[in-house]
């Protein structure tokens, strides 16, 4: 062995030894101490007097396990009853490692007892033999979409958005998707409406994490969700067709849960104890502000945007909100959410804070920052110096959740309402020449979304009289407008230090190349056999059906809502779609000889059930038991009535395939 190889081996061995004494030996050996963290938060004064030791003690404790019941499912009450009467009662007398397990309690601030927490950590639930049945129940119900295991504070932002079924919603930084799932549930609050008018567009910059998002969303089987892959700070402006004219898509609700330093998650992400430093927040502040700016530009006038972080640091929290409010010049205001979640304990936002470098140097004002620090420290990181302006911002309406108050993680949330278009969008020509008074505000908002990133405000000469907001615009005019808008924004931003919209970026696609989304026509031959076999009602929306291939046999058919179809058709070149819609039919090679090559997909039952008028067998409770408990529930094992219905159906369609599946509609459930 050569000298160099021996030295390399020695270095590698040393590295392993070091890791075994610290990181490599597991989380249990990580010392939950960080003097810089304690010093920083003591100085900031975010924790009420006399409570700092409680705050730090809570930070060192494991995070309680929390679950949320999927509220829109028709059997949510049955799931809740099962949890309360069976599993929770069994748990409350259990002792594990000398610790008595407390009975799970509902989160006092979450509506209808749909969220619960317990002093058991997730590790105890997974490892203890005494809790094995409870753990199996949680796993199976999570997979089926009936419950979600989600941190308590993570449930807050979707509640503050006040979602209604017609809202168009954007989740800007959505992965891994627990909040996205909440948004979808709220959209489907009325289970009798298979296609709500609203939809959720869930975005994440990380291509791989987008697939986590898809997995979360698929559990809920919604035709109103689309997962896209973009940088949130320059997410493209989308167009939709409104009464035959192209218009710009504005969102009624936006969730802006930005990337953050995560020091509120110390209870579950134990490695943060070692990694935490003040420079994390300094590096992230600019990105957080750019994402927030992009969000409010795409928000409809009158809409709500919730900004949230799992950080307690004012540089990532109030500083971003204050900068956003200052540059909005009155277009945005902080909403008072104090009455929206009764029972939730929170601290009001602060109006003064200081900035500390990782070397321990403090700065209270931008004027104190030396020139060589100006690239790392920016003016927007400090509180506004104008006391009157600061008071008018009402930063106390921000909400900071501290871990020791309700045994949760740390969190920050602020609710913004858009009162008018953003001021930097007023500097360019309007898209419309003539607008009615009722749509004037929205039209100005249209320009708000079109200025930043990649869809510029167009020159008036490009809009023909009487046409939609885009008019007949050729590509050269659009590119010219982009250049003009971008240079004007940059110049203005340099002159007054304004937080203008981000500079234009060319869309770059990374990761796996997705198959296309191809909508079927009403005359597609696929529908001929499906129509007769399932006796689809005349109002079945065939135009909402899509497949993932241009050529060859269609293996799966998916459905989206009419509104999402509008978005997809008008923006195929503008955005990278990872997944959308719910699978409703899958090709079954055995089925062709019996009249239809497509079988129902289980996940599409809720979507299709209102339109299917045949292939339905009414079953009894005893039949349901057979289907759920027997490994091979042959039709002959059903009661006489259900068996007779199946035989009659078989005769009508020339027999029954042994491999075909009968899918029972929810109306047949006990």
């Amino acid at each position: 062995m050569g000298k160099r190889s021996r030295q390399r081996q020695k270095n590698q061995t040393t590295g392993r030894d070091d890791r075994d004494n610290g990181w490599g030996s597991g989380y249990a050996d990580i010392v939950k101490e960080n003097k810089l963290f304690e010093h920083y938060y003591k100085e900031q004064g975010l924790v009420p007097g006399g409570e700092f030791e409680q705050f730090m003690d809570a930070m060192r404790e494991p995070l309680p396990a929390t679950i949320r019941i999927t509220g829109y499912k028709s059997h949510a009450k049955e799931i809740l009853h099962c949890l309360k009467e069976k599993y929770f009662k069994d748990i409350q007398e259990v002792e594990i490692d000398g610790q008595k397990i407390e009975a799970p309690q509902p989160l006092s601030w979450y509506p209808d007892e749909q969220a619960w927490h317990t002093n058991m950590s997730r590790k105890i639930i997974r490892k203890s033999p005494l809790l094995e049945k409870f753990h199996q129940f949680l796993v199976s119900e999570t997979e089926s979409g009936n419950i979600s295991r989600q941190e308590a504070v993570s449930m807050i932002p979707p509640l503050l958005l006040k979602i209604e079924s017609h809202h168009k919603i954007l989740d800007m930084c959505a992965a891994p998707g627990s909040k996205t799932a909440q948004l979808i549930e709220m959209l489907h609050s009325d289970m009798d409406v298979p296609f709500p008018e609203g939809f959720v567009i869930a975005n994440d910059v990380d291509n791989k994490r987008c697939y986590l998002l898809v997995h979360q969303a698929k559990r809920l089987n919604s035709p109103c969700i689309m997962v896209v892959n973009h940088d949130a700070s320059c997410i493209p402006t989308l167009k939709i067709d409104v009464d035959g004219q192209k218009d710009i898509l504005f969102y009624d609700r936006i969730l802006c849960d930005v990337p953050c330093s995560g020091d509120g998650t110390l209870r579950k992400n134990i490695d943060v104890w070692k990694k935490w430093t003040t420079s994390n927040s300094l590096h992230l502040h600019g990105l957080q502000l750019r994402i927030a700016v992009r969000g409010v530009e795409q928000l409809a006038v009158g809409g709500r945007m919730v900004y949230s972080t799992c950080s307690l640091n004012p540089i990532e929290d109030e500083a971003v909100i204050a900068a956003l409010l200052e540059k909005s010049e009155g277009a945005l205001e902080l909403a008072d959410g104090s009455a929206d979640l009764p029972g939730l304990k929170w601290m009001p936002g602060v109006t003064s804070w200081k900035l500390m470098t990782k070397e321990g140097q403090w700065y209270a004002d931008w004027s104190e920052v030396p020139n060589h620090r100006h690239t790392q420290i920016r003016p927007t990181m400090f509180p506004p110096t104008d006391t009157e302006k600061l008071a008018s911002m009402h930063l106390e309406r921000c909400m900071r959740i501290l871990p020791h108050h309700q045994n949760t993680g740390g969190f920050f949330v602020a609710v913004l309402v858009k009162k008018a278009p953003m001021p930097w969008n007023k500097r360019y020509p309007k898209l419309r020449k003539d607008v009615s008074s009722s749509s004037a505000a929205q039209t100005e908002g249209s320009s708000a979304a079109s200025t930043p990133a990649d869809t510029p405000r167009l020159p008036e000469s490009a809009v023909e009289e009487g046409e939609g907001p885009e008019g007949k615009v050729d590509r050269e005019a659009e590119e010219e407008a982009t250049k003009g808008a971008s240079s004007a924004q940059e110049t203005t931003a340099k002159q007054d230090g304004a937080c203008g919209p981000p500079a234009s970026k060319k869309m770059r696609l990374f990761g796996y190349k997705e198959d296309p989304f191809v909508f079927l026509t009403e005359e597609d031959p696929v529908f001929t056999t499906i129509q007769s076999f399932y006796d689809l009602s005349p109002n079945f929306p065939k135009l909402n059906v899509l497949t993932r291939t241009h050529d060859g046999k269609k293996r799966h058919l998916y459905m989206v809502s009419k509104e999402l179809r509008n978005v997809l058709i008008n923006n195929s070149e503008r955005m990278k779609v990872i997944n959308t819609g719910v699978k409703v039919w899958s090709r079954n090679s055995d089925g062709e000889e019996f009249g239809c090559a497509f079988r129902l997909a289980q996940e599409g039952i809720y979507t299709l059930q209102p339109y299917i008028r045949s292939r339905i067998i009414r079953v009894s409770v005893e039949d349901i038991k057979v289907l759920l408990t027997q490994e091979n529930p042959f039709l002959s094992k059903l009661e006489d009535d259900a068996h007779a219905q199946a035989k009659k159906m078989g005769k009508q369609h020339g027999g029954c395939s042994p491999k075909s599946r009968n899918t029972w509609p929810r109306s047949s459930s006990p």
Side-chain angles (χ1 to χ4, degrees):
M1 184 185 290
K3 181 179 177 182
R4 191 173 296 174
S5 298
R6 282 197 300 273
Q7 182 63 41
R8 186 161 56 240
Q9 188 181 54
K10 182 181 177 182
N11 292 341
Q12 288 171 350
T13 306
T14 305
R16 275 199 298 273
D17 291 341
D18 290 343
R19 286 198 299 273
D20 289 343
N21 292 329
W23 292 89
S25 50
Y27 278 161
D29 294 336
I30 293 178
V31 179
K32 296 177 181 179
E33 294 287 344
N34 188 311
K35 295 300 180 187
L36 189 67
F37 176 88
E38 291 189 44
H39 175 58
Y40 181 78
Y41 279 108
K42 269 184 182 174
E43 283 290 321
Q44 293 288 16
L46 302 177
V47 181
E51 294 183 18
F52 197 82
E53 288 308 312
Q54 289 175 262
F55 166 74
M56 289 305 301
D57 289 344
M59 280 292 201
R60 295 185 182 100
E61 290 294 317
L63 194 65
T66 49
I67 61 171
R68 181 173 52 78
I69 299 168
T70 303
Y72 79 92
K73 289 290 184 76
S74 54
H75 43 271
K77 289 180 181 176
E78 284 80 4
I79 297 286
L80 179 58
H81 178 78
C82 184
L83 281 169
K84 288 167 76 172
E85 298 303 316
K86 182 172 172 29
Y87 295 100
F88 291 169
K89 279 188 176 179
D90 294 344
I91 288 170
Q92 54 192 356
E93 302 302 325
V94 171
E95 273 196 29
I96 297 174
D97 298 334
Q99 178 189 2
K100 187 175 180 181
I101 299 300
E102 296 174 10
Q105 298 293 323
L107 293 176
S108 59
W109 45 268
Y110 202 96
D112 304 321
E113 291 191 337
Q114 297 289 300
W116 292 70
H117 68 136
T118 170
N119 68 334
M120 294 180 289
S121 68
R122 295 183 67 172
K123 183 179 178 182
I124 288 175
I125 292 176
R126 286 196 303 267
K127 301 294 183 185
S128 171
L130 295 170
L131 300 173
E132 187 177 354
K133 282 187 179 178
F134 181 50
H135 182 241
Q136 287 175 352
F137 176 80
L138 291 181
V139 170
S140 63
E141 295 302 311
T142 300
E143 283 301 310
S144 64
N146 291 330
I147 66 171
S148 296
R149 287 182 280 180
Q150 180 181 357
E151 190 181 342
V153 290
S154 172
M155 303 175 192
I156 295 170
L159 292 175
L160 292 174
L161 278 171
K162 299 184 177 179
I163 302 294
E164 295 177 20
S165 62
H166 63 276
H167 283 155
K168 300 175 184 69
I169 307 161
L170 173 65
D171 190 349
M172 299 188 77
C173 309
S178 55
K179 298 182 190 72
T180 308
Q182 244 180 303
L183 298 174
I184 297 169
E185 290 171 27
M186 292 171 175
L187 207 59
H188 286 274
S189 56
D190 185 354
M191 277 300 290
D192 293 326
V193 181
F195 292 105
E197 288 182 30
F199 54 78
V200 178
I201 293 179
N203 173 70
D204 202 86
V205 67
D206 189 315
N207 183 263
K208 290 180 181 176
R209 280 166 62 87
C210 281
Y211 293 95
L212 288 175
L213 204 48
V214 171
H215 177 73
Q216 275 276 23
K218 276 192 170 180
R219 295 183 309 119
L220 300 174
N221 303 328
S222 171
C224 305
I225 169 72
M226 181 161 68
V227 176
V228 298
N229 179 204
H230 290 279
D231 177 351
S233 66
C234 53
I235 190 168
T237 301
L238 304 183
K239 298 173 185 176
I240 52 174
D241 190 81
V242 179
D243 299 326
Q245 303 288 348
K246 289 284 188 286
D247 211 339
I248 290 173
L249 171 62
F250 289 92
Y251 301 97
D252 303 296
R253 299 289 186 266
I254 293 180
L255 177 54
C256 186
D257 186 54
V258 295
C260 65
S261 62
D263 59 21
T265 69
L266 283 167
R267 299 181 69 175
K268 66 173 183 178
N269 295 325
I270 304 175
D271 57 330
V272 178
W273 283 102
K274 282 206 163 204
K275 294 180 178 178
W276 190 89
T277 171
T278 54
S279 61
N280 297 345
S281 57
L282 302 183
H283 294 151
L284 286 164
H285 172 87
L287 174 65
Q288 292 163 337
L289 187 51
R290 289 196 301 276
I291 292 173
V293 166
R294 191 67 186 119
V296 295
E297 287 166 344
Q298 300 223 3
L299 187 64
V301 173
R304 289 166 79 91
M305 183 176 93
V306 168
Y307 175 89
S308 62
T309 74
C310 47
S311 167
L312 300 173
N313 199 325
I315 309 301
E316 302 176 64
D317 299 341
E318 285 92 346
V320 173
I321 296 298
L324 201 54
L325 291 170
E326 185 170 7
K327 306 310 176 185
S328 78
E329 299 176 10
L332 299 172
E333 75 172 27
L334 269 172
D336 184 356
S338 56
D340 292 338
L341 297 175
L344 178 67
K345 294 178 183 176
W346 51 278
M347 296 299 297
V350 294
T351 54
S352 65
W353 59 87
K354 296 182 288 182
L355 186 150
M356 186 176 79
T357 65
K358 64 180 179 181
E359 295 82 20
Q361 178 71 45
W362 287 93
Y363 300 108
D365 188 80
W366 169 246
S367 60
E368 300 173 6
V369 181
N371 287 339
H372 70 275
R373 292 274 192 188
H374 282 188
T375 52
Q376 296 92 31
I377 300 173
R378 305 300 303 145
T380 53
M381 296 177 181
F382 295 93
T385 52
D386 186 330
T387 53
E388 190 176 323
K389 184 183 288 185
L390 182 61
S392 68
M393 289 180 179
H394 296 292
L395 290 180
E396 71 279 359
R397 292 177 180 172
C398 298
M399 304 164 79
R400 179 175 279 103
I401 290 90
L402 299 178
H404 64 292
H405 283 168
Q406 283 179 306
N407 197 14
T408 63
F411 206 70
F412 175 88
V413 63
V415 183
L416 293 153
V417 176
K418 189 171 182 178
K419 297 293 185 182
M422 302 308 289
W424 52 82
N425 296 116
K426 296 176 183 175
R427 297 170 187 153
Y428 305 104
K430 295 180 181 178
L431 287 175
R432 293 183 192 266
K433 286 187 175 180
D434 299 305
V435 292
S436 63
S437 57
S438 62
S439 62
Q442 185 61 38
T443 305
E444 286 189 47
S446 298
S447 50
S450 62
T451 302
D454 66 336
T455 308
R457 177 162 294 200
L458 303 175
E460 285 191 322
S461 59
V463 184
E464 294 189 9
E465 198 72 48
E467 293 198 350
E470 294 297 329
K472 294 179 181 176
V473 184
D474 63 21
R475 185 164 300 218
E476 290 179 12
E478 192 167 354
E479 288 173 356
E480 197 63 39
T482 310
K483 292 173 185 172
S486 298
S487 59
Q489 289 158 14
E490 288 165 16
T491 305
T492 310
K494 286 174 184 174
Q495 286 173 352
D496 60 7
C499 169
S504 299
K505 282 188 182 179
K506 186 177 180 182
M507 189 172 86
R508 298 173 66 189
L509 301 180
F510 299 98
Y512 178 73
K513 185 179 180 182
E514 288 292 328
D515 292 329
F517 294 84
V518 184
F519 283 95
L520 307 186
T521 63
E522 289 186 317
E523 295 76 31
D524 194 291
V526 161
F527 287 125
T528 308
T529 53
I530 290 178
Q531 177 78 50
S532 59
F533 192 74
Y534 295 102
D535 190 19
L536 296 180
S537 60
N539 63 336
F540 176 73
K542 293 179 181 178
L543 291 176
N544 295 4
V545 179
L546 60 89
T547 185
R548 300 295 301 272
T549 178
H550 282 293
D551 307 307
K553 281 189 174 182
K554 302 171 178 69
R555 290 195 302 141
H556 304 292
L557 301 180
Y558 305 83
M559 283 192 78
V560 294
S561 64
K562 180 179 69 175
E563 289 74 15
L564 263 191
R565 179 183 186 274
N566 191 347
V567 174
L568 270 167
I569 283 179
N570 287 289
N571 300 280
S572 59
E573 301 299 318
R574 194 172 278 107
M575 61 182 181
K576 182 179 179 182
V577 181
I578 300 297
N579 197 277
T580 190
V582 60
K583 189 193 297 180
V584 288
W585 281 292
S586 289
R587 183 173 287 278
N588 174 20
S589 55
D590 293 332
E592 294 190 29
E593 59 185 292
F594 302 111
C596 184
F598 288 90
R599 64 169 178 83
L600 294 172
Q602 184 66 41
E603 54 264 52
I605 291 300
Y606 281 103
T607 303
L608 284 181
Q609 194 256 346
Y611 304 104
I612 292 180
R613 299 183 295 185
S614 74
R615 310 295 300 170
I616 296 172
I617 297 176
R618 308 290 172 186
V619 295
S620 67
V621 174
E622 291 305 314
D623 291 327
I624 291 288
K625 289 179 182 176
V626 169
L627 293 167
L628 292 176
T629 58
Q630 297 201 12
E631 189 174 346
N632 294 306
F634 296 115
L635 295 174
S636 58
K637 294 182 179 180
L638 302 180
E639 291 188 342
D640 292 344
D641 183 38
H643 192 195
Q645 292 179 62
K647 287 179 72 175
K648 183 180 177 183
M649 190 180 296
K651 288 176 183 176
Q652 289 172 348
H653 294 279
C656 250
S657 167
K659 293 184 181 178
S660 66
R661 298 184 188 177
N662 287 309
T663 309
W664 315 104
R666 62 189 169 123
S667 57
S668 303
S669 301

